[in-house]
Amino acid sequence: MEGSLGFLFLAFLIIPLPNFFIFCTGHSHSQLRCIDTERHALLTFKQDLIDPFNRLSSWTAHGDCCHWLGVVCHNLTAHVHQLNLGSYYEPLMFGGKLNPSLLDLKHLNYFDLSFNNFSASPIPEFLGSMKSLTSLNLSYAGFVGLIPRQLGNLSNLLYLNLDHGYFPGDLYVNNLEWLSGLPLLQHLDMSSVNLSKASDWVQLTNTLPSLLDLRLQYCQLRFIPLVVDVHNMTSLRHLDLSRNYFNSSIPNWLYSFSRLEFLNLGSSNLQGTISSAIGNLTSAISIDLSGNELGGKLPVSFGNLSSLTNLDFSNNQFSGTLPQNLGQLKNLVELSFSQNSISGPIPMSLGNLSSLTYLDFSNNQFNGTLPQNFGQLSKLETLYIESNMLEGVVSEVHFSNLTSLIQLYAPGNKLTLEVSYNWNPPFQLGVLSLRSWNLGPNFPGWLCSQRQLQNLDISNTRISGVVPPSFWNLSSQFGFLNLSQNLLYGEIVNSLINLPSDSVIDLSSNHFNGSLPYVSSNTIVLDLSNNSFSGSISHFLCYKMNEPKQMQLLNLGKNHLSGKIPNCWMKWNNLELLNLGINNFTGNIPTSLGSLTLLRSLHLHKNKLSGKLPSSFQNCDNLMTIDVAENEFVGSIPSWIGHKCSNLMILSLRSNNFLGHVPEELCALTSLQIMDLSCNKLSGSIPRCVKNFSAMATKDTSNYPMRFNPSVGYYGESFPLESALLVIKGQILEYSTILQLVKSIDLSMNNLSGEIPIEVTTLQGLQSLNLSYNLLIGSIPENIGTMGSLESIDFSMNQLSGQIPSSMSSLTFLNHLNLSNNNLTGKIPFGTQLQSFNASNYIGNKLCGLPLSNKCTIDDVDPNNENKGSKHNGGLEVDWFFVSLALGFVVGFWGVCGPLLLNKQWRIMYFQFLDHMRYKLKSLVLL
Ligand SMILES: *[C@@H]1O[C@H](CO)[C@@H](O)[C@H](O)[C@H]1NC(C)=O
Ligand SMILES: *[C@@H]1O[C@H](CO)[C@@H](O)[C@H](O)[C@H]1NC(C)=O
Ligand SMILES: *[C@@H]1O[C@H](CO)[C@@H](O)[C@H](O)[C@H]1NC(C)=O
Ligand SMILES: *[C@@H]1O[C@H](CO)[C@@H](O)[C@H](O)[C@H]1NC(C)=O
Ligand SMILES: *[C@@H]1O[C@H](CO)[C@@H](O)[C@H](O)[C@H]1NC(C)=O
Ligand SMILES: *[C@@H]1O[C@H](CO)[C@@H](O)[C@H](O)[C@H]1NC(C)=O
């Protein structure tokens, strides 16, 4: 339901109400026959028209044109008075050319050509000679190019609509001076016309003394004068200047439009505050200031605007508390303040807004509790209070008269719902999200009464116990169901058999146990991870084996599943993400897993899988992640990974029994950011071609979305696309949505020999390099100091010799270093944080100087080193600032804060993501 509502809403946004889409057939006096010259004119006009649906079949050579489709004659004179040729529906659209024969319709008042497709041709100049016109509608007609100034000759016009709509190509003006030839004009719509050259648009529209309705949406206007005599415009009733680029404050003259009923200044780059003079707009019915950068406190004078029905201030920077007297706006139907910084309590007085159907306060800092008298809002259909700081108890009284409520979207508050066990709510909800509320300890039984519920999120709500069977009886209506992060248990074997199509089900992080449930084939997302499901997955995977599976994301990770992974993947070819990690699976990888050609992410880590990686895997062109760490795989690392899995970003083969060389072919993986081959039996040298890992050579992060949005369905949640357990800085951490920020090579605990290739130092974006526990010889590359992103280096337990390169002291992000147990000699370069590491990170060498306790003798000291070292100390204060940032980064890996601080690009993406979520009514599950 939500999906289709959303679509309808979108359709209304894109296509203004098609007022003229209903055709009027000629209704004229039966005695009257149309005038010959006019019939000829119309027939000539028809010849140049493309009419793919043959809609003008009634326009025949000898017919009475007063009875033709779209033609209206005057009831006394029989002159053609109106031409209604608007279309709207694609297959019905007229095209072709406009024949000047129309000039013979000397009495035409009304000409409507809207919603057609005159395939990117200009508006013909001859229209300016149709002097009798009072109404001309060329909206959405596909004309492009310069609007002819001859339209300014239509001195009788009352109505002119040139809205260009969504058509590609520019419809534009060089100036608007011709407008002054239209003194009777009441309604002017030039939306989506490029008016960027008409910087004096206000002065020129102000020459129209009769203007009531002015619509200049999407006009690329870059200027709005702050001071100007706008006296002629003060009679405006409707003003739409939305979606322009004013980069200015709201001009004071706007507040003098005391007859204005509809004002839309949305998304027009307006700044500053709202003047208390807004209280002068006493006729206002609808005000939309959304999507600007307006701030400050809302003026109390708002309480004067008693005619208001719609007020949209969303997506601005308003702060302070809401004026109490908002409750005086008794006619309000829709009210939105979402995405601002409004704080303090939700005014009690809002409970008096008895006409309210839509209230959106989401993403603010409202605190205190929900006013009890909200329960009186008997017309309220939608209540969005997501992501505020509301707390306290919400009881049955809060809902006592909310009989119309359909959508209650309130995640991200600290509210506690206390209702009696057998509460019978007065509403039938379609959408309910109470994520992170306290609903516990028992499962909210009243949900079983909600027979329209399609979208339910009660994740992280402290509920425990067994889910009642009567709740699962509703499962055939759930398009989106999120019960994750609770303490629910019990078996659910047959509870998910009858899901509606495209359903998204998240039961992760509970204690559900027993066998995996059977799941209908049309489910697109199923997350059962982090539960206690056990036993084989054969029945689950091979259920209705001949039915194509719609599943795009399947996460069964972190359970107690065991046995072989069955060879039943043939019909699961929509899968993009598959996680079977952290279970007890044994045996080989089945060949049919290779048929998942859309797979982007494969996690099989921490099982007991064995054998070789099957060559059927070579259809891995879409794979970004292969994580098979901590299994018992054998054989050499397949060289085809380098050629066939060309989009690979993460390759983790850690802790298996792979042997042989690191294949040079891997270096073809130019997108690779994380390569973990540690804890295997690899031998030979580190390939010099590592310099080809171009993603690691840059500090840029990939823009690849790290969250997964189901490609069908429209249900409010995205999932972390990737996650990987990484050992960085000596700790195992689970990295998820910020994985794309991580660049790491781990070759530790193998039998690698030879020198560290100097080519490694070209990997300027690399943050972690772990080569410990190998047989490496030679010296540390002299210019390692150029790897400016390094935060962690572990070269311990090798046979490296020579001195520590002084350039290492310029690695300002470095906060983990282990060089212990090598054959390094000489003085530890002095003067930077190399001294801040614990001495244990240097022991087992022949080093001297701080932080080691043994002082250097003259022989140890290389004077050049000392000089080079101190050369890099110029920005010491700044360096330490970054070091502490980098430390924050480690901690932040568990949350999202660290990377938001560090990386602007990611921060922007994150907030765009949140933005996006708001529209799609999405909830965000962190990590
Ligand atoms: C002709 O139409 C006008 C309105 O356009 C109407 O007022 C008038 O009654 C009509 N006359 C006849 C004879 O139908
Ligand atoms: C207002 O309209 C009148 C009448 O058309 C015109 O003479 C006058 O110049 C207009 N005022 C401005 C400031 O444009
Ligand atoms: C608002 O109205 C008051 C009182 O009528 C008037 O003094 C003031 O100038 C008006 N402000 C604007 C901006 O029109
Ligand atoms: C709400 O927040 C304000 C500060 O923004 C604080 O002064 C006030 O005590 C808070 N009210 C409640 C009920 O928590
Ligand atoms: C609920 O609505 C009914 C009828 O509209 C009214 O009589 C009653 O007082 C209302 N109750 C509350 C608590 O607002
Ligand atoms: C795997 O099986 C072993 C032995 O049966 C058991 O000790 C271990 O807990 C199991 N692990 C998981 C993740 O179920």
Side-chain angles (χ1 to χ4, degrees), residues 102-156:
L102 285 179
L103 291 172
D104 289 338
L105 305 176
K106 299 249 187 282
H107 299 268
L108 192 67
N109 288 164
Y110 184 98
F111 187 23
D112 178 4
L113 265 186
S114 61
F115 295 97
N116 283 299
N117 191 352
F118 288 95
S119 32
S121 57
I123 297 175
E125 290 174 8
F126 79 81
L127 291 182
S129 305
M130 300 176 71
K131 292 277 175 53
S132 56
L133 283 180
T134 57
S135 171
L136 176 60
N137 188 349
L138 302 180
S139 65
Y140 288 77
F143 293 111
V144 296
L146 181 66
I147 293 177
R149 64 185 155 69
Q150 285 81 354
L151 294 188
N153 297 336
L154 299 172
S155 54
N156 290 311

Coordinates of all heavy atoms in Angstrom, one line a residue, residues 102-156:
L102 N -4.7 28.3 -38.3 CA -5.5 28.7 -37.0 C -5.8 30.2 -37.0 O -6.8 30.6 -36.3 CB -4.6 28.3 -35.8 CG -4.5 26.8 -35.4 CD1 -3.6 26.6 -34.2 CD2 -5.9 26.3 -35.2
L103 N -5.0 31.0 -37.7 CA -5.3 32.4 -37.7 C -6.7 32.8 -38.2 O -7.2 33.8 -38.0 CB -4.2 33.2 -38.4 CG -2.8 33.1 -37.8 CD1 -1.8 33.7 -38.7 CD2 -2.8 33.9 -36.5
D104 N -7.3 31.8 -39.0 CA -8.6 32.0 -39.5 C -9.7 31.8 -38.4 O -10.8 32.1 -38.7 CB -8.9 31.1 -40.7 CG -8.1 31.6 -41.9 OD1 -7.7 32.8 -41.9 OD2 -7.8 30.7 -42.8
L105 N -9.3 31.4 -37.3 CA -10.3 31.2 -36.2 C -10.3 32.5 -35.4 O -9.7 32.7 -34.3 CB -9.9 30.0 -35.3 CG -9.7 28.7 -35.9 CD1 -9.3 27.6 -34.9 CD2 -11.1 28.3 -36.6
K106 N -11.0 33.5 -36.0 CA -10.8 34.9 -35.5 C -11.5 35.1 -34.2 O -11.4 36.1 -33.6 CB -11.4 35.8 -36.5 CG -10.7 35.8 -37.9 CD -9.9 37.1 -38.1 CE -9.3 37.2 -39.5 NZ -8.1 36.3 -39.6
H107 N -12.3 34.1 -33.8 CA -13.1 34.3 -32.5 C -12.6 33.3 -31.4 O -13.3 33.1 -30.4 CB -14.6 34.2 -32.8 CG -15.0 35.2 -33.7 ND1 -15.5 36.4 -33.3 CD2 -15.1 35.2 -35.1 CE1 -15.8 37.2 -34.4 NE2 -15.6 36.5 -35.5
L108 N -11.5 32.7 -31.7 CA -11.0 31.7 -30.7 C -10.6 32.4 -29.4 O -9.7 33.2 -29.4 CB -9.8 30.9 -31.3 CG -9.4 29.6 -30.5 CD1 -10.5 28.6 -30.6 CD2 -8.1 29.1 -31.1
N109 N -11.2 32.0 -28.3 CA -10.9 32.5 -27.0 C -9.9 31.6 -26.2 O -9.0 32.0 -25.5 CB -12.1 32.5 -26.1 CG -13.1 33.6 -26.4 OD1 -14.2 33.6 -26.0 ND2 -12.6 34.6 -27.3
Y110 N -10.2 30.3 -26.4 CA -9.6 29.4 -25.5 C -8.8 28.3 -26.3 O -9.4 27.6 -27.1 CB -10.7 28.7 -24.7 CG -10.3 27.8 -23.6 CD1 -10.2 28.2 -22.3 CD2 -10.0 26.4 -23.9 CE1 -9.8 27.3 -21.3 CE2 -9.6 25.5 -23.0 CZ -9.5 26.0 -21.6 OH -9.2 25.1 -20.7
F111 N -7.5 28.2 -26.1 CA -6.7 27.3 -26.9 C -5.9 26.4 -25.9 O -5.0 27.0 -25.2 CB -5.9 28.0 -27.9 CG -5.1 27.1 -28.8 CD1 -5.6 25.9 -29.1 CD2 -4.0 27.6 -29.5 CE1 -4.9 25.1 -30.1 CE2 -3.3 26.8 -30.4 CZ -3.8 25.5 -30.7
D112 N -6.1 25.2 -25.9 CA -5.4 24.3 -25.0 C -4.7 23.2 -25.8 O -5.3 22.4 -26.4 CB -6.4 23.6 -24.0 CG -5.7 22.7 -23.0 OD1 -4.5 22.6 -23.1 OD2 -6.4 22.0 -22.2
L113 N -3.4 23.2 -25.7 CA -2.5 22.2 -26.4 C -1.7 21.4 -25.4 O -0.7 20.8 -25.7 CB -1.6 22.9 -27.3 CG -2.0 23.1 -28.8 CD1 -0.8 23.7 -29.6 CD2 -2.4 21.7 -29.4
S114 N -2.1 21.4 -24.1 CA -1.2 20.9 -23.1 C -1.1 19.4 -23.2 O -1.9 18.7 -23.7 CB -1.8 21.3 -21.7 OG -3.1 20.7 -21.5
F115 N 0.0 18.9 -22.6 CA 0.3 17.5 -22.5 C 0.3 16.8 -23.9 O -0.4 15.9 -24.1 CB -0.6 16.8 -21.6 CG -0.4 17.2 -20.1 CD1 -1.3 18.2 -19.6 CD2 0.6 16.7 -19.4 CE1 -1.1 18.6 -18.3 CE2 0.8 17.1 -18.1 CZ 0.0 18.1 -17.5
N116 N 1.1 17.4 -24.8 CA 1.3 16.8 -26.1 C 2.8 16.7 -26.3 O 3.6 16.9 -25.4 CB 0.6 17.6 -27.2 CG -0.9 17.4 -27.2 OD1 -1.3 16.3 -27.4 ND2 -1.6 18.5 -26.9
N117 N 3.2 16.3 -27.5 CA 4.6 16.2 -27.7 C 5.0 16.8 -29.1 O 5.0 16.1 -30.1 CB 5.1 14.8 -27.6 CG 6.6 14.7 -27.6 OD1 7.3 15.7 -27.8 ND2 7.2 13.5 -27.4
F118 N 5.2 18.1 -29.1 CA 5.5 18.8 -30.4 C 7.0 18.7 -30.6 O 7.7 19.7 -30.8 CB 4.9 20.2 -30.4 CG 3.5 20.1 -30.6 CD1 2.6 20.2 -29.6 CD2 2.9 19.9 -31.9 CE1 1.2 20.0 -29.7 CE2 1.6 19.8 -32.1 CZ 0.7 19.8 -31.0
S119 N 7.5 17.5 -30.3 CA 8.9 17.1 -30.5 C 9.9 18.2 -30.6 O 10.5 18.4 -31.7 CB 9.0 16.1 -31.6 OG 8.0 16.4 -32.6
A120 N 10.1 18.9 -29.6 CA 11.3 19.7 -29.5 C 11.3 20.8 -30.5 O 12.4 21.2 -30.9 CB 12.6 18.9 -29.5
S121 N 10.2 21.3 -31.0 CA 10.2 22.4 -31.9 C 9.8 23.7 -31.2 O 9.3 23.7 -30.1 CB 9.2 22.2 -33.1 OG 7.9 22.0 -32.5
P122 N 10.2 24.9 -31.7 CA 9.9 26.1 -31.0 C 8.4 26.4 -31.0 O 7.6 25.9 -31.9 CB 10.7 27.2 -31.8 CG 11.2 26.5 -33.0 CD 10.9 25.1 -33.0
I123 N 8.0 27.3 -30.1 CA 6.6 27.8 -30.1 C 6.5 28.7 -31.3 O 7.2 29.6 -31.5 CB 6.3 28.6 -28.8 CG1 6.4 27.7 -27.6 CG2 4.9 29.3 -28.9 CD1 6.2 28.4 -26.3
P124 N 5.5 28.4 -32.3 CA 5.4 29.3 -33.5 C 5.1 30.7 -33.2 O 4.2 31.0 -32.3 CB 4.3 28.6 -34.3 CG 3.7 27.6 -33.5 CD 4.5 27.4 -32.2
E125 N 5.7 31.6 -33.9 CA 5.5 33.1 -33.6 C 4.1 33.5 -33.9 O 3.5 34.4 -33.3 CB 6.5 33.9 -34.5 CG 7.9 33.8 -34.0 CD 8.9 34.5 -34.9 OE1 8.4 35.2 -35.8 OE2 10.1 34.3 -34.6
F126 N 3.4 32.8 -34.9 CA 2.1 33.3 -35.4 C 1.1 33.2 -34.2 O 0.1 33.9 -34.3 CB 1.6 32.5 -36.6 CG 1.1 31.1 -36.3 CD1 -0.2 30.9 -35.9 CD2 1.9 30.0 -36.4 CE1 -0.8 29.7 -35.6 CE2 1.3 28.7 -36.2 CZ 0.0 28.6 -35.7
L127 N 1.3 32.4 -33.2 CA 0.4 32.4 -32.1 C 0.2 33.8 -31.5 O -0.9 34.1 -31.0 CB 0.9 31.4 -31.0 CG 0.9 29.9 -31.3 CD1 1.3 29.1 -30.1 CD2 -0.5 29.5 -31.7
G128 N 1.2 34.6 -31.6 CA 1.1 36.0 -31.1 C 0.1 36.8 -31.9 O -0.2 37.9 -31.4
S129 N -0.4 36.3 -33.0 CA -1.3 37.1 -33.8 C -2.8 36.6 -33.5 O -3.7 37.1 -34.2 CB -1.0 36.9 -35.3 OG 0.3 37.3 -35.6
M130 N -2.9 35.6 -32.7 CA -4.3 35.2 -32.4 C -4.9 36.1 -31.3 O -5.1 35.7 -30.2 CB -4.3 33.7 -32.0 CG -3.7 32.8 -33.1 SD -3.5 31.1 -32.6 CE -5.2 30.6 -32.5
K131 N -5.2 37.3 -31.7 CA -5.5 38.4 -30.8 C -6.8 38.1 -30.0 O -6.9 38.7 -28.9 CB -5.8 39.6 -31.6 CG -4.5 40.2 -32.3 CD -3.7 41.0 -31.3 CE -2.4 41.5 -31.8 NZ -2.5 42.2 -33.1
S132 N -7.7 37.2 -30.4 CA -8.9 37.0 -29.7 C -8.7 36.1 -28.4 O -9.6 36.0 -27.6 CB -9.9 36.3 -30.6 OG -9.4 35.1 -31.1
L133 N -7.5 35.5 -28.3 CA -7.3 34.6 -27.2 C -7.3 35.2 -25.9 O -6.8 36.3 -25.6 CB -5.9 33.9 -27.4 CG -5.8 32.8 -28.4 CD1 -4.3 32.3 -28.4 CD2 -6.7 31.7 -28.2
T134 N -8.1 34.6 -25.0 CA -8.0 35.0 -23.6 C -7.3 33.9 -22.7 O -6.9 34.2 -21.6 CB -9.5 35.2 -23.0 OG1 -10.2 34.0 -23.2 CG2 -10.2 36.3 -23.7
S135 N -7.2 32.7 -23.3 CA -6.6 31.7 -22.5 C -5.7 30.8 -23.4 O -6.2 30.3 -24.5 CB -7.6 30.8 -21.9 OG -7.1 29.7 -21.3
L136 N -4.4 30.7 -23.1 CA -3.5 29.9 -23.9 C -2.7 28.9 -23.0 O -2.0 29.4 -22.1 CB -2.5 30.8 -24.7 CG -1.5 30.1 -25.5 CD1 -2.1 29.3 -26.6 CD2 -0.5 31.2 -26.2
N137 N -2.9 27.7 -23.3 CA -2.3 26.7 -22.5 C -1.3 25.8 -23.3 O -1.8 25.0 -24.1 CB -3.3 25.8 -21.8 CG -2.7 24.9 -20.8 OD1 -1.4 24.7 -20.7 ND2 -3.5 24.2 -19.9
L138 N 0.0 26.1 -23.2 CA 1.0 25.3 -24.0 C 1.8 24.5 -23.0 O 2.9 24.1 -23.3 CB 1.9 26.2 -24.8 CG 1.2 27.1 -25.8 CD1 2.2 28.0 -26.5 CD2 0.4 26.3 -26.8
S139 N 1.2 24.2 -21.8 CA 2.0 23.5 -20.8 C 2.3 22.0 -21.2 O 1.4 21.4 -21.8 CB 1.4 23.6 -19.4 OG 0.1 22.9 -19.5
Y140 N 3.4 21.5 -20.8 CA 3.8 20.1 -21.1 C 3.5 19.8 -22.6 O 3.0 18.7 -22.9 CB 3.0 19.2 -20.2 CG 3.5 19.2 -18.8 CD1 3.1 20.2 -17.9 CD2 4.3 18.2 -18.3 CE1 3.5 20.3 -16.6 CE2 4.7 18.2 -16.9 CZ 4.3 19.2 -16.1 OH 4.7 19.3 -14.8
A141 N 3.9 20.7 -23.5 CA 3.6 20.4 -24.9 C 4.8 20.1 -25.7 O 4.7 19.8 -26.9 CB 2.8 21.6 -25.5
G142 N 6.0 20.1 -25.0 CA 7.2 19.6 -25.6 C 7.9 20.7 -26.5 O 8.9 20.4 -27.2
F143 N 7.4 21.9 -26.5 CA 8.1 23.0 -27.2 C 9.4 23.4 -26.5 O 9.5 23.3 -25.3 CB 7.2 24.3 -27.3 CG 6.0 24.1 -28.1 CD1 4.7 24.1 -27.4 CD2 6.0 23.9 -29.5 CE1 3.6 24.0 -28.2 CE2 4.9 23.8 -30.2 CZ 3.6 23.8 -29.6
V144 N 10.4 23.7 -27.3 CA 11.7 24.2 -26.8 C 12.2 25.4 -27.5 O 11.5 25.9 -28.5 CB 12.8 23.1 -26.9 CG1 12.5 21.9 -26.1 CG2 13.1 22.8 -28.3
G145 N 13.3 26.0 -27.0 CA 13.8 27.1 -27.7 C 13.3 28.4 -27.1 O 12.6 28.4 -26.0
L146 N 13.5 29.5 -27.8 CA 13.2 30.8 -27.3 C 11.6 31.0 -27.4 O 11.0 30.7 -28.4 CB 13.8 31.9 -28.2 CG 13.6 33.3 -27.9 CD1 14.2 33.7 -26.5 CD2 14.2 34.2 -29.0
I147 N 11.1 31.5 -26.3 CA 9.6 31.8 -26.3 C 9.5 33.1 -27.1 O 10.1 34.1 -26.8 CB 9.1 32.0 -24.9 CG1 9.1 30.7 -24.1 CG2 7.7 32.6 -24.9 CD1 8.7 30.7 -22.7
P148 N 8.6 33.1 -28.2 CA 8.6 34.3 -29.1 C 8.0 35.5 -28.3 O 6.9 35.3 -27.7 CB 7.7 33.8 -30.2 CG 6.9 32.7 -29.7 CD 7.8 32.0 -28.7
R149 N 8.6 36.6 -28.4 CA 8.2 37.8 -27.7 C 6.8 38.2 -28.3 O 6.1 39.0 -27.7 CB 9.2 38.9 -27.8 CG 9.5 39.4 -29.2 CD 10.6 40.4 -29.3 NE 11.1 40.4 -30.6 CZ 10.5 40.8 -31.7 NH1 9.3 41.4 -31.6 NH2 11.0 40.7 -32.9
Q150 N 6.5 37.7 -29.5 CA 5.2 38.0 -30.1 C 4.0 37.7 -29.2 O 2.9 38.2 -29.3 CB 5.0 37.3 -31.4 CG 5.8 37.9 -32.6 CD 7.3 37.5 -32.6 OE1 7.7 36.8 -31.7 NE2 8.0 37.9 -33.6
L151 N 4.2 36.7 -28.3 CA 3.1 36.4 -27.3 C 2.7 37.6 -26.6 O 1.5 37.7 -26.1 CB 3.5 35.3 -26.4 CG 3.8 33.9 -26.9 CD1 4.1 32.9 -25.8 CD2 2.7 33.4 -27.8
G152 N 3.5 38.6 -26.5 CA 3.2 39.9 -25.8 C 2.2 40.7 -26.6 O 1.7 41.7 -26.1
N153 N 1.8 40.2 -27.8 CA 0.7 40.9 -28.5 C -0.7 40.4 -28.2 O -1.7 41.0 -28.6 CB 0.9 40.8 -30.0 CG 2.3 41.4 -30.5 OD1 2.8 42.3 -29.8 ND2 2.8 40.9 -31.6
L154 N -0.7 39.4 -27.4 CA -2.0 38.8 -27.0 C -2.7 39.6 -25.9 O -2.8 39.1 -24.8 CB -1.9 37.3 -26.6 CG -1.3 36.4 -27.7 CD1 -1.0 35.0 -27.2 CD2 -2.3 36.3 -28.9
S155 N -3.1 40.8 -26.3 CA -3.4 41.8 -25.2 C -4.7 41.4 -24.5 O -5.0 42.0 -23.5 CB -3.6 43.2 -25.8 OG -4.5 43.1 -26.9
N156 N -5.5 40.4 -24.9 CA -6.7 40.0 -24.2 C -6.5 38.8 -23.3 O -7.4 38.4 -22.6 CB -7.8 39.6 -25.2 CG -8.3 40.8 -26.0 OD1 -8.6 41.8 -25.4 ND2 -8.2 40.8 -27.3

